[in-house]
Every structure is written in C-alpha cells, then in structure tokens.
C-alpha cells in the first residue's frame, strides 16, 4: 500500500475516533442534564462533562510527546463548545407578557387563592333581550393565552345578549406566574371557584373547552364549586382524571394533522438550549421545574410554530390548506413546563367518577366530528355525569369548533345559546349514554 494511502487511512481512523469521542461526551452531558435535572442552568452537567473529558485526555496523552499530548484535548474542546450552547439563555429570563389587546381591555384580578389572573369582559352588545346569568369561558391549554379566535367567538356570544367574562389561567397569557409546584388541576378548580366569588354576581353559566373542559368537569365533581354554577357546557374535554388519562382508544374522523403545511415562523427548538430542554421535558427526563430553564424563560422562548402539527390536529382534514392563524407572534403565549405539570397532576389523580355521579348542575357535552381527542375522554364524562341533559355531536369541525371558517362560529353559538336558554337543540341529542357503544363504533 502506498505511503500516502496509509497516511490517509490513519488520518481517517483518528478523525473517526475524535468524532466518536465528541459524540460520547455529548451523550454524557445529556445524561448528566437528565440526572441533575438541569441544575444551575446546565452548568453542573457541563462542568462535570468537561472535567471528565479533561481527565480522560490527560490519561490518553500520558505516554505521548509534549505536542502530541494536546491532541486528545481536541474532542473535549469541541464537545465543550457544542454543549455550552445548552447552558446559555437566548430568551429573556424574566417574564415577558404579551402586549395589550387592541379590542378589549385587560383587567387583573387577585383571587382568594393567591392567583392574579388576566380578565376580559364583553358586555351584552345587542339592543334585544339580555341573558340574566353571567357567562364565563374557560380556555384550553392548559396554561396558555386565550386565542384571538376565542376572543372573536366570545364577542359573538356578547352580541347574542350574554354578559361574557373570560380569564387566563394563572401562568398563562397575561396572568401572573405561580411557583411551579402550585400548578395543579386542583388549583385550577379552586381558582375557578374564587373567580366566580370575585365576580360576585351569583351563579354563572360556564363553557369549558379542551383543558378548560377538564377544569369544569372536575368543578362539577366538587360540591363547593359546583354550587356556584348555573349551567355547564363541556366542549371537547381532555381526560378528567388518572384512570381516564391512561385510556388509549379511538379518536374522531381524520384531522388535518400531517396534511397541513408546516407552520411558519421562528421555533425555539431551533436553538440547542430549548430543543434539549423541551425535548427532555416531553420525554419525562426533566421535571417541569427543571433547573435548566426557568418557567419564565421557557414561556418567553416557546412559539406558536413549536406547536407544529398540534395546531393542525384541531381541524378537519378538508381544512388542511386553509387553517386560519390563531394568534400573532406577539400575542401567542404558552408555558410548556407549567402545562406539563398540570397534565401530570391529572394523570396522578384518582378517579373523580364517584363524585361526578352526584352532580346536579344541568350540563351539555359538545364533541366534534374530527376530534383529535381520545373519544373516551368525552364519553367518560357522559357516562358518569347524570346531569348531562344533551350531547351535541358537531359535524364538519375539528377540536377547535369555533374557528372562523364558514359558519362554524354561528353553529357553535346556536348550540350553546339553545342549551343556556333551555330551548330545543339544533342537533339531535347524540350520543346518549345508551348510545356510547354505537357512537364509538360508528365515529372513528
């Protein structure tokens, strides 16, 4: 073999060994991030990795000549440079709240629970009859801002004569943050009761959507909070408790997930720090209260584009190429760590079915045709709440039923107002409790 070929083989071998050493150090760093829960913004893992790599480099170079002793340090330097990016914040570490909305004022209410929440009020906006019971909206998420589409829908309800209130859950939108260990589903229920008390207008009608539907379902199972509720509408709920959360089953008809164009705009996950943090949190390898990134920094960094196909999953397949924008980059707000924390407390909670079976608050369940939710999450509520008077299966819409497309907002409003006014339902009462098995078979 020619000398030049031998040299090339040796060089290639050394390069591969160096790359393997870099990869090994990066893996060690990520393992230490998980083991230390990101302590000290990841510096504990970084310094340990750097120290380990340095010791190994010294050991490998102990019998080499002085210049050659430096060669084993090259992978350490490269790995240190690559992993250092995970330890350096690029988003503000103090909470950066979305700007004020141009079409409604933001109030801030301090609740008896200690939460300070952003509140929005849409008074009745029509000259005709006004509904005497205040209307409260619980948004989805959990722990995100109320979307612009939701605000548009709330304005529509106000034009129907409703006195509409909405608040962003503690930690979401323009509401103040909580310590991470205080984000629980039980706290969300207590905040709802405290909000109604702070409103001080007697019983309220309430619409809970998605994650807000979970809060509402659990409020109906809490006699103290349920006593404040006049009528309840549970729309596209998530799992209500631990046993429900562990159900794997059918979803609705095909959504736009995987069909819609990828969302545009900046992604926090393009930055190594947030790709590692959010990725490991999603895998359960970092706690929501991780020391790698603070709660405020994570909320500031996370963008609408980071939701990826989750947004598309809220629309029917036929709407894949006309999904409307739900928020601007400025108004979008979501706290991934706090949201995961609340979801985990739902998964860890015991069954609420025995308490829900004692509910007496008149209720309605709304289920979309192209639901991205597991069907049993909704049917579990229907099966266990004897006070559900009607179910409305909404054709032609996905998880986000009021989305500004076609007449979807008007159809959702018609279903809601008919129930609140105790008028005949626009759609058949389907499924009933007895029809749950048929519904599960025919709508998947």
């Amino acid at each position: 073999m020619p000398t030049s070929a031998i040299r090339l083989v040796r060089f290639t071998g050394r390069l591969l060994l160096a790359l393997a050493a870099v990869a090994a150090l990066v893996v060690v760093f990520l393992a230490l991030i998980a083991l230390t829960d990101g302590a000290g913004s990841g510096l504990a893992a970084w310094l340990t990795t750097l120290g380990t790599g340095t010791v190994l480099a010294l050991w490998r170079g102990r019998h080499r000549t002085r210049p050659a002793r430096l060669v084993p340090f090259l992978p350490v330097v490269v790995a240190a440079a690559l992993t250092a990016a995970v330890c350096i914040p690029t988003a503000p570490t103090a909470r950066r709240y979305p700007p004020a909305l141009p079409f409604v004022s933001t109030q801030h209410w301090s609740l008896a629970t200690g939460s300070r929440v952003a509140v929005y009020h849409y008074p009745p906006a029509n000259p005709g009859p006004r509904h005497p019971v205040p209307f409260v909206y619980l948004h989805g998420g959990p722990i995100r801002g109320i979307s612009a589409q939701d605000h548009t829908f709330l304005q529509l309800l106000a034009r129907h004569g409703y006195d509409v209130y909405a608040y962003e859950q503690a930690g979401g939108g323009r509401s103040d943050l909580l310590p991470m260990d205080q984000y629980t589903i039980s706290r969300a229920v207590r905040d709802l009761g405290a909000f109604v008390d702070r409103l001080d207008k007697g019983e309220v009608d309430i619409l809970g959507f998605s994650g807000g539907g979970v809060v509402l379902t659990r409020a109906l199972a809490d006699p103290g909070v349920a006593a404040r509720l006049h009528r309840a509408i549970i729309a596209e709920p998530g799992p209500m408790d631990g046993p429900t959360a562990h159900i794997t089953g059918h979803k609705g008809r095909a959504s736009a997930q995987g069909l819609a164009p990828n969302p545009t705009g900046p992604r926090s996950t393009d930055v190594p720090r947030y790709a590692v943090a959010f990725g490991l949190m999603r895998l359960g390898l970092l706690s929501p209260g991780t020391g790698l990134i603070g709660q405020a920094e994570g909320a500031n960094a996370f963008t609408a584009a980071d939701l990826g196909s989750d947004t598309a999953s809220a629309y029917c397949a036929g709407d894949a190429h006309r999904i409307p924008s739900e928020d601007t980059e400025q108004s979008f707000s979501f706290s991934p760590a706090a949201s995961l924390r609340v979801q985990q407390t739902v998964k860890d909670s015991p069954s609420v079915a025995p308490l829900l079976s004692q509910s007496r608050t008149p209720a309605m369940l709304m289920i979309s045709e192209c639901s991205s939710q597991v069907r049993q999450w909704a049917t579990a509520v229907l099966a266990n709440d004897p006070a559900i008077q009607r179910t409305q299966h909404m054709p032609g819409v996905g998880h986000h039923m009021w989305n500004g497309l076609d007449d979807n907002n008007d159809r959702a409003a018609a279903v809601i107002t008919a129930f609140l006014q105790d008028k005949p339902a626009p759609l058949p009462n389907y499924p009933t409790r007895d029809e749950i098995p048929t519904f599960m078979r025919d709508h998947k």
Side-chain angles (χ1 to χ4, degrees), residues 136 138 167 185-196 204 206-208 211-234 239-241 352-353 355-361 363 381 385:
V136 175
L138 284 176
Y167 69 93
I185 190 63
S186 297
R187 173 61 172 266
V189 174
R190 294 196 302 273
D191 279 352
L192 170 59
F195 178 83
V196 177
V204 301
I206 185 161
L207 166 63
V214 178
V215 177
L216 178 53
T217 300
R218 295 180 69 101
L220 293 173
D222 183 325
V225 180
R228 302 168 171 90
L229 310 182
H230 179 253
R231 283 183 171 244
I233 301 165
I234 304 165
M240 64 183 184
D241 54 25
V352 298
L355 290 172
L356 188 60
S357 67
Q358 301 173 36
S359 175
R360 297 296 178 265
T361 304
V381 180
D385 185 351

Side-chain angles (χ1 to χ4, degrees), residues 370-384:
C370 310
S371 177
S372 55
Q373 307 284 76
V374 174
R375 289 296 196 187
Q376 287 92 328
W377 294 349
T379 57
V381 180
L382 176 60
N384 289 288

Side-chain angles (χ1 to χ4, degrees), residues 422-439:
D422 201 20
K423 293 182 177 179
L427 298 170
N429 179 26
Y430 176 75
T432 63
R433 289 176 191 84
D434 293 339
E435 293 171 321
I436 290 175
T438 304
F439 175 76

Side-chain angles (χ1 to χ4, degrees), residues 77-391:
V77 173
V78 173
L82 290 174
T83 54
V86 177
C87 306
I88 302 172
T90 59
T93 55
R95 183 69 174 105
R96 183 181 57 198
Y97 293 93
L101 296 167
F103 48 81
V104 64
S105 62
T106 305
Q107 306 172 48
H108 284 90
W109 290 7
S110 295
L111 305 181
T113 56
S115 299
R116 187 169 181 269
V117 297
V119 180
Y120 309 94
H121 180 211
Y122 293 104
N126 70 338
R130 298 187 175 188
H131 197 65
V133 181
F135 180 95
V136 175
Y137 177 64
L138 284 176
H139 64 87
I143 320 300
R144 65 176 295 175
I146 297 175
S147 73
Q149 288 183 6
D150 284 355
H151 278 290
T152 298
F153 185 63
L154 298 179
Q155 291 170 342
L156 174 61
L157 293 176
R159 291 196 295 272
H160 280 274
Y162 289 87
D163 192 18
V164 178
Y165 291 84
Y167 69 93
E168 287 167 323
Q169 296 168 30
R174 296 162 186 82
S175 293
D176 287 4
L177 305 179
L178 294 175
M180 186 57 68
D181 62 358
Q182 293 187 26
Y183 289 108
T184 66
I185 190 63
S186 297
R187 173 61 172 266
V189 174
R190 294 196 302 273
D191 279 352
L192 170 59
F195 178 83
V196 177
D197 287 345
R198 175 69 171 75
L199 183 58
D200 195 24
K201 292 191 174 185
E203 292 183 349
V204 301
D205 291 331
I206 185 161
L207 166 63
F209 165 66
S210 192
V214 178
V215 177
L216 178 53
T217 300
R218 295 180 69 101
L220 293 173
D222 183 325
V225 180
R228 302 168 171 90
L229 310 182
H230 179 253
R231 283 183 171 244
I233 301 165
I234 304 165
E236 281 286 286
M240 64 183 184
D241 54 25
T244 313
H246 290 93
I247 291 174
T248 56
H250 303 305
K251 297 185 179 181
R253 300 226 167 110
S255 74
Q257 190 170 28
L259 301 175
N262 290 327
T264 58
R267 294 173 182 262
S268 68
T269 47
D270 290 337
V271 180
R273 177 174 176 81
Y274 305 113
V276 169
F278 297 144
L280 293 181
M281 272 194 278
R282 193 76 179 262
L283 293 172
L285 298 176
L286 286 181
S287 73
T290 176
L292 181 58
I293 59 170
Q295 177 190 172
E297 182 189 350
N300 292 337
F302 202 86
T303 71
D306 284 318
L307 291 175
S309 61
D310 285 354
T311 299
S313 71
Y315 294 83
C316 289
D319 296 327
H321 295 283
R322 59 169 193 156
I323 293 176
S325 175
E326 298 193 351
D327 285 293
T328 65
E329 287 183 15
Q330 282 189 318
S331 65
F332 176 80
S333 174
F334 181 68
S335 177
S339 180
L340 286 172
R341 164 75 182 165
V342 172
Q343 291 177 58
Q344 189 60 52
T345 65
V346 173
K347 293 177 182 177
D348 293 341
S349 68
S351 172
V352 298
L355 290 172
L356 188 60
S357 67
Q358 301 173 36
S359 175
R360 297 296 178 265
T361 304
M364 177 176 73
L365 179 65
M366 297 176 69
I367 307 174
S368 66
E369 181 181 14
C370 310
S371 177
S372 55
Q373 307 284 76
V374 174
R375 289 296 196 187
Q376 287 92 328
W377 294 349
T379 57
V381 180
L382 176 60
N384 289 288
D385 185 351
I388 291 181
Q389 298 179 347
R390 64 177 74 167
T391 303

